[in-house]
Amino acid sequence: MSKSKSTASRSNKYFLLALAIVALCSLGIRISRLAERPFHCDEAVQAVKFGNLLEEGHYEYDPQEYHGPSLYYLSLPIAWINGVDTLAEMNESQLRLLPVLFGTTLILLLVLAVDGIGWGGVLWAALLTGISPFMVYFSRYYIQEMLLVFFSASAILCAWRYSRKRKAVWSVFTGVSLGMMFATKETCILSWFALVMALLLVLLQGKKLKLLLEIPISHLALAVFSAAFMAALFFSSFGTHPAGVIEAILAFPHYFTRAGGEGHAYPWYNYLRLLFWHREQGVLWSELLILIPAIYGGVRAFLPRFRADSGLSRFLVFYTLILTVLYSAIPYKTPWLALGFLQPAIMLAGLGLAELWRDLNNVFARFVFGIAILLALVNLAQQTWRGSFYYAADERNPCAYSHTSKDLVRFVDQLHRIVALAPDAKATGVKIVAPEYWPLPWYLRDFENVGYWHTIPTDPEAPVIITSPEYQEAIDDVVKGDYFKVLAGLRPGVVIYAMIRQDLWDAYLKEMAGVEQ
Amino acid sequence: MRNIFIITLVLAFGMILGACSPKQDSQPEKETGTEEDIQTEAAAVEEDVEVAEEESVETEGAEEAAEEESAESDMDKVELDLDYPEPLFQGTPVPVDLPNLEKPHTKRDALMVPEGVENLALGKEISSSDEFPIIGELSMITDGDKEGVEGTYVELGPGKQYAQVDLGQEANIYAIAVWHYHSQARAYHDVIVQISNDAEFAEGVTTVYNNDHDNSAGMGVGEDLAYIETNQGRLIDVDGVAGRYVRLYSGGNTANDMNHYVEVEVYGKPVE
């Protein structure tokens, strides 16, 4: 081995070690106090859907809602490792561990981009992924989004590896990633469109379109087969529900219809505002410190004196822009959808910081850059702490969209203590009569006699009735027993009334007084 | 050859995952009670209570009755149909962003006070358990601006916190009005209002409002009702209690665990 090869190999080892340390620290941030934030309504819905798979051992794809099945199937090993086989035994931390693992592995995945954006770019991108407030917040969120982001990045980077080495294994991995994107969320069609368009633009711009024709048919077939196989495997519920595959394809028009908004319609600039300048009731949030180097990295990729192969960086520029435009143009907007274009933007930001460091060729400039970047990282980390912990469920947090109030956890805890004192304990009847009650089905999953109504039933009487202010008067007129009413917050602007039968409430007060003494 | 190997690997991975997924019929159906169950159980509970009250004289009789009931229930055991509906799944909830103004027909009862009573809190000094509010200034609590929008309220830290008004001299207080936050439907927990001539509230304390229904604030169980914030605030009838300081507690709210004050007004007459 030559001396230069040996030095490069040693230096690669150091870079790998640095990447592993960043990933480990990111895991530490993501895994901390996982159960602290209340379950969002969407997390609760996904958890209860997963519970059906866990308890009944069967899943059937629903083309109307809840997206692909990968989240549920990939959660199973976590339940098995923890030795639980009912939803009641599972907790928030166990479920959120899945997005945490994907959010962390995403950082390690960046190693595949080394010969596209350099080791400097990879390490900066890893660091920014590790502490980006949005990336951290949604790595701790039990919905499909972080899985989709991971598989999208995996598809891009595996395809990049294939373009460099032309090995069949990378075409298979690319196919698997594309298939898993679909098996995770049908809306991946937007990412697929952006992927194809960005690829064509990069090749057109570099006058390398003929490279497409040089791909062996066998490799293309392998990629297509792998993608189809993975998607079919999951949508058919591992062969037990073959109709799921057709239903998944037919679901596309449904999701196009939903793109109209359904109460989540926001102006085109909403994502840019959420990500880069969100000031709400005196609290400012901004990931401008990622946007600015991303712009520099993007511009730098098209300037002369750039590294030998600019294919990946230019692809990322096109892909990020197309996806941003697509998501901004669609009226339906929720904060987690921004991750789709934030992740490639972070890779560009990593590239931008590495290039800026190279472009600054005097010590003083590099010193100023070092101080500035340190302050920027501290600011991002501080926002992440605020967003994922202090303001995790606060409506001022741009990530906390229509989020469950912490007050609900307080109330559920109180309800558990009340019911524990009841003669029937968890078999005590609980009737929930309200237009909106999620995520209560998650929090009351261990109750044996709980029912849910969107409208007032003929007989709403039960030891515990949970209702909304608009139904409360009508229920008051119907019930015969004496009840004590407790107010609790479901989410900002939505309160619920818990009507506790007086004897249960008295027993609770007696117990509380005993605890005080 | 390599391609075949890869395909085999992928297929094997799929088969392993398939084999590992739990069998469809390996779990028993989850049992859920019925409305009838609950009524029966509720009736049983009521009976239990009655028996407990009379237990000193009728213990033996109750035991016999319980045995008979138990034998009967064993004979009549049937599996009842489910009557409770399962939760319907719901998409991402739409954020609520409407001011929670009370319905137009709801009118607060008139509160009668002596002639010449005025807001003694206006512009007066405020102190708090949270000396460094997260948002706003403590002075906003008595600045006369009760609009409730950003820039007109103060946010105190999480959990139990208080704000205290110093009226400058002892006064007979007839009413206290408080606006916590009224741009959204929310209720504040453990709202407790006290009056005293002692700035430390160590002695001579009169509690004029307390809706801490379970003594979670540790200041005694209150009988007053919890309420949803509106633009009408909360008007507390104080009935001439004398004191220089008014202290208002709260312990977070239904939207978050912070404490807010848009305005506090203290209506009274200085003691001559």
Side-chain angles (χ1 to χ4, degrees):
Chain A
M1 192 187 283
S2 70
K3 193 178 174 185
S4 64
K5 268 193 175 175
S6 158
T7 311
S9 161
R10 198 163 56 242
S11 131
N12 276 351
K13 276 182 191 164
Y14 289 132
F15 279 126
L16 273 173
L17 182 68
L19 184 66
I21 291 170
V22 172
L24 205 62
C25 294
S26 304
L27 177 66
I29 297 168
R30 281 157 172 74
I31 213 162
S32 300
R33 295 152 63 182
L34 256 187
E36 195 175 275
R37 180 174 53 79
F39 245 15
H40 184 272
C41 165
D42 288 5
E43 291 184 284
V45 167
Q46 299 298 353
V48 173
K49 295 287 285 180
F50 165 68
N52 294 341
L53 172 66
L54 179 69
E55 292 173 0
E56 293 164 24
H58 186 62
Y59 163 85
E60 275 188 16
Y61 172 67
D62 180 347
Q64 296 301 311
E65 192 67 76
Y66 327 118
H67 303 301
S70 68
L71 181 75
Y72 316 129
Y73 280 106
L74 295 174
S75 298
L76 279 175
I78 293 173
W80 296 334
I81 290 166
N82 283 289
V84 298
D85 49 16
T86 63
L87 189 66
E89 295 171 88
M90 293 224 55
N91 58 42
E92 290 89 344
S93 300
Q94 289 164 350
L95 288 166
R96 285 174 175 159
L97 188 60
L98 186 72
V100 164
L101 293 175
F102 273 90
T104 308
T105 316
L106 178 68
I107 292 168
L108 294 172
L109 197 67
L110 292 170
V111 75
L112 300 178
V114 164
D115 53 0
I117 59 174
W119 264 117
V122 165
L123 285 181
W124 280 120
L127 202 57
L128 293 176
T129 308
I131 61 164
S132 153
F134 261 68
M135 295 301 280
V136 173
Y137 192 89
F138 290 111
S139 291
R140 301 156 52 84
Y141 212 90
Y142 188 66
I143 57 171
Q144 284 86 357
E145 221 60 38
M146 191 45 67
L147 277 66
L148 179 65
V149 169
F150 174 87
F151 290 124
S152 304
S154 166
I156 292 170
L157 295 174
C158 289
W160 168 248
R161 298 303 326 141
Y162 177 78
S163 76
R164 304 290 287 171
K165 304 285 181 188
R166 295 285 168 143
K167 286 185 175 173
V169 67
W170 290 113
S171 71
V172 172
F173 285 146
T174 307
V176 167
S177 303
L178 291 168
M180 288 308 293
M181 283 171 74
F182 185 29
T184 300
K185 209 171 172 188
E186 308 84 339
T187 51
C188 71
I189 196 163
L190 294 173
S191 306
W192 286 353
F193 175 77
L195 284 172
V196 172
M197 292 306 291
L199 179 66
L200 290 176
L201 284 171
V202 162
L203 293 174
L204 272 173
Q205 187 265 333
K207 293 175 184 162
K208 293 176 182 170
L209 210 52
K210 62 175 184 185
L211 282 177
L212 279 181
L213 302 173
E214 291 171 11
I215 299 174
I217 295 292
S218 61
H219 289 182
L220 266 179
L222 267 179
V224 171
F225 173 78
S226 309
F229 177 77
M230 293 310 289
L233 199 65
F234 280 87
F235 279 117
S236 70
S237 310
F238 289 82
T240 59
H241 178 61
V245 182
I246 305 297
E247 286 167 359
I249 295 164
L250 296 178
F252 285 129
H254 167 65
Y255 282 98
F256 273 117
T257 315
R258 289 186 61 180
E262 293 192 333
H264 305 285
Y266 292 96
W268 67 269
Y269 53 82
N270 192 55
Y271 289 126
L272 303 181
R273 185 180 62 85
L274 282 179
L275 278 170
F276 305 123
W277 201 261
H278 180 78
R279 191 174 181 278
E280 189 72 41
Q281 294 175 44
V283 190
L284 177 68
W285 308 82
S286 171
E287 298 203 24
L288 266 179
L289 302 167
I290 288 174
L291 178 71
I292 293 165
I295 291 172
Y296 186 81
V299 171
R300 195 70 187 76
F302 286 92
L303 291 179
R305 289 195 307 111
F306 193 62
R307 60 183 65 251
D309 197 328
S310 56
L312 180 63
S313 44
R314 290 182 183 181
F315 172 86
L316 288 173
V317 172
F318 288 128
Y319 177 69
T320 308
L321 286 176
I322 293 168
L323 213 50
T324 308
V325 169
L326 279 176
Y327 275 117
S328 298
I330 293 170
Y332 185 101
K333 291 182 180 70
T334 51
W336 45 85
L337 295 177
L339 296 183
F341 55 86
L342 178 64
Q343 194 279 329
I346 286 177
M347 286 175 71
L348 284 174
L351 172 74
L353 289 173
E355 289 301 311
L356 192 59
W357 180 261
R358 280 203 328 182
D359 292 345
L360 299 172
N361 48 15
N362 75 64
V363 177
F364 178 72
R366 283 191 169 183
F367 175 75
V368 172
F369 171 79
I371 296 291
I373 202 67
L374 186 71
L375 291 174
L377 291 175
V378 168
N379 176 275
L380 279 176
Q382 190 246 352
Q383 284 191 60
T384 293
W385 178 82
R386 241 176 25 186
S388 288
F389 303 107
Y390 194 73
Y391 286 113
D394 196 295
E395 60 192 313
R396 282 167 284 194
N397 183 345
C399 300
Y401 181 70
S402 241
H403 202 285
T404 307
S405 302
K406 279 185 181 174
D407 195 48
L408 189 73
V409 180
R410 175 203 60 79
F411 162 70
V412 168
D413 182 50
Q414 186 180 47
L415 188 60
H416 273 87
R417 279 185 279 148
I418 291 168
V419 163
L421 298 168
D424 298 324
K426 286 186 176 169
T428 302
V430 179
K431 289 188 177 179
I432 295 164
V433 187
E436 292 189 61
Y437 44 68
W438 284 92
L440 279 173
W442 160 260
Y443 283 110
L444 305 184
R445 64 195 183 284
D446 56 337
F447 282 30
E448 293 157 26
N449 258 331
V450 57
Y452 298 87
W453 289 263
H454 278 304
T455 53
I456 302 172
T458 324
D459 176 20
E461 193 104 27
V464 176
I465 307 166
I466 296 174
T467 187
S468 59
E470 54 265 53
Y471 286 176
Q472 202 237 316
E473 221 171 287
I475 290 178
D476 260 347
D477 292 343
V478 182
V479 294
K480 295 180 187 75
D482 289 334
Y483 287 90
F484 188 85
K485 296 184 192 85
V486 179
L487 260 176
L490 194 65
R491 54 177 205 272
V494 183
V495 292
I496 50 172
Y497 275 101
M499 298 169 67
I500 317 285
R501 209 174 57 202
Q502 196 63 48
D503 59 312
L504 297 181
W505 182 255
D506 292 343
Y508 169 68
L509 281 189
K510 207 171 159 187
E511 176 79 5
M512 288 285 285
V515 170
E516 291 255 322
Q517 283 161 16
Chain B
M1 185 63 189
R2 183 182 292 167
N3 294 353
I4 294 166
F5 174 70
I6 290 159
I7 293 168
T8 315
L9 258 186
V10 173
L11 283 170
F13 174 65
M15 286 168 70
I16 290 167
L17 272 183
C20 289
S21 63
K23 293 284 178 285
Q24 193 173 341
D25 54 359
S26 62
Q27 298 284 339
E29 288 272 317
K30 187 181 172 186
E31 287 177 16
T32 313
T34 65
E35 270 186 73
E36 206 169 322
D37 272 342
I38 289 169
Q39 284 169 356
T40 313
E41 283 156 10
V45 172
E46 281 167 18
E47 277 182 29
D48 285 349
V49 173
E50 285 166 17
V51 170
E53 284 168 356
E54 295 163 10
E55 66 183 349
S56 58
V57 287
E58 289 184 10
T59 310
E60 284 178 21
E63 277 175 7
E64 282 169 20
E67 277 171 21
E68 279 173 24
E69 254 186 44
S70 169
E72 270 181 34
S73 65
D74 280 348
M75 278 167 58
D76 300 338
K77 263 185 186 171
V78 286
E79 189 175 334
L80 293 172
D81 291 336
L82 297 178
D83 205 16
Y84 274 178
E86 288 292 316
L88 295 171
F89 289 107
Q90 181 193 323
T92 304
V94 176
V96 176
D97 193 20
L98 293 170
N100 179 52
L101 303 177
E102 273 190 15
K103 291 171 192 166
H105 67 269
T106 58
K107 194 183 169 190
R108 192 162 52 201
D109 292 339
L111 179 65
M112 308 307 285
V113 294
E115 205 174 329
V117 158
E118 58 183 36
N119 176 17
L120 302 174
L122 188 65
K124 291 293 186 337
E125 193 184 331
I126 297 285
S127 57
S128 169
S129 53
D130 183 356
E131 291 175 12
F132 303 101
I134 298 165
I135 296 175
E137 305 287 334
L138 289 174
S139 59
M140 289 171 169
I141 299 176
T142 52
D143 65 357
D145 184 349
K146 44 194 166 186
E147 201 181 338
V149 296
E150 193 176 337
T152 66
Y153 64 85
V154 62
E155 178 178 87
L156 307 181
K160 181 180 159 188
Q161 301 286 353
Y162 72 79
Q164 183 171 316
V165 187
D166 178 0
L167 300 176
Q169 67 173 103
E170 188 181 14
N172 289 116
I173 299 167
Y174 296 96
I176 297 170
V178 53
W179 288 260
H180 283 281
Y181 187 96
H182 57 86
S183 65
Q184 184 183 73
R186 60 168 68 165
Y188 283 77
H189 295 301
D190 307 340
V191 175
I192 301 168
V193 182
Q194 296 180 325
I195 297 171
S196 176
N197 271 316
D198 177 13
E200 301 302 317
F201 278 73
E203 55 187 41
V205 177
T206 307
T207 300
V208 294
Y209 192 89
N210 183 351
N211 70 11
D212 178 10
H213 52 259
D214 59 357
N215 195 24
S216 48
M219 297 170 69
V221 174
E223 297 289 322
D224 294 301
L225 295 175
Y227 61 94
I228 297 175
E229 289 286 325
T230 71
N231 62 322
Q232 294 191 16
R234 196 64 173 175
L235 185 58
I236 300 162
D237 184 355
V238 178
D239 204 19
V241 174
R244 174 177 167 175
Y245 303 97
V246 177
R247 187 179 275 195
L248 303 101
Y249 288 91
S250 60
N253 65 82
T254 53
N256 54 54
D257 46 9
M258 307 297 177
N259 298 277
H260 306 88
Y261 289 92
V262 171
E263 192 71 13
V264 171
E265 292 177 343
V266 179
Y267 289 92
K269 279 181 172 180
V271 173
E272 297 296 326

